[in-house]
Amino acid sequence: MSTSCPSIFSGDSGYPNLSWLLTPVRNPKTRADERYNEAHGRTRRIIEHTFGLLKSRFQCLHLTDSTLYYSPKKVCQIIVACGMLHNLALRRQVPFLQEDVPDAGLVAAVEPVDSEEEEVEEEDIDNRNNIIMHYFQ
């Protein structure tokens, strides 16, 4: 089975913006920044909800305190396999155990962390700004 992970990930505001990790704009100054943050928040809620579903169905994910002690490539393979098995279970109408059913609502987006700004490369900020200018103007 060949799996690959995307080269860009979505992170909450607790992380610095990096070339491979897009985070919200901390102090949006334009309407484009606000639209980017709104889209980013919607995306994060979907991701968190999806991980909640997978963790509720697969105890190997739930019981690890959200930490898989494998290489990033192996973690991607585990997540993809769990997603495929989850989709198969949905098609076959395999129910969740009652105590494992996640909340119906989506997980709220994480609020900004009040901490010192991490040192972020100007190139990484430029990368996010280019995405904002290209897709959110």
Side-chain angles (χ1 to χ4, degrees), residues 7-12 15-23 36 127:
S7 58
I8 296 178
F9 294 92
S10 174
D12 63 38
Y15 295 94
N17 190 76
L18 302 169
S19 60
W20 54 270
L21 181 67
L22 294 176
T23 60
Y36 166 81
N127 178 48

Side-chain angles (χ1 to χ4, degrees), residues 40-95:
H40 187 275
R42 285 190 305 272
T43 302
R44 290 290 305 155
R45 286 189 291 279
I46 292 168
I47 291 167
E48 294 296 330
H49 180 69
T50 302
F51 282 140
L53 288 171
L54 293 177
K55 287 172 74 172
S56 68
R57 193 177 288 274
F58 301 102
Q59 293 298 305
C60 65
L61 300 176
H62 179 68
L63 297 176
T64 61
D65 296 325
S66 299
T67 304
L68 292 173
Y69 296 101
Y70 300 100
S71 70
K73 182 178 179 180
K74 179 62 76 177
V75 170
C76 285
Q77 292 171 337
I78 291 169
I79 299 297
V80 168
C82 287
M84 292 170 75
L85 290 170
H86 174 69
N87 289 340
L88 181 63
L90 289 176
R91 272 185 245 136
R92 301 255 172 121
Q93 299 178 339
V94 175

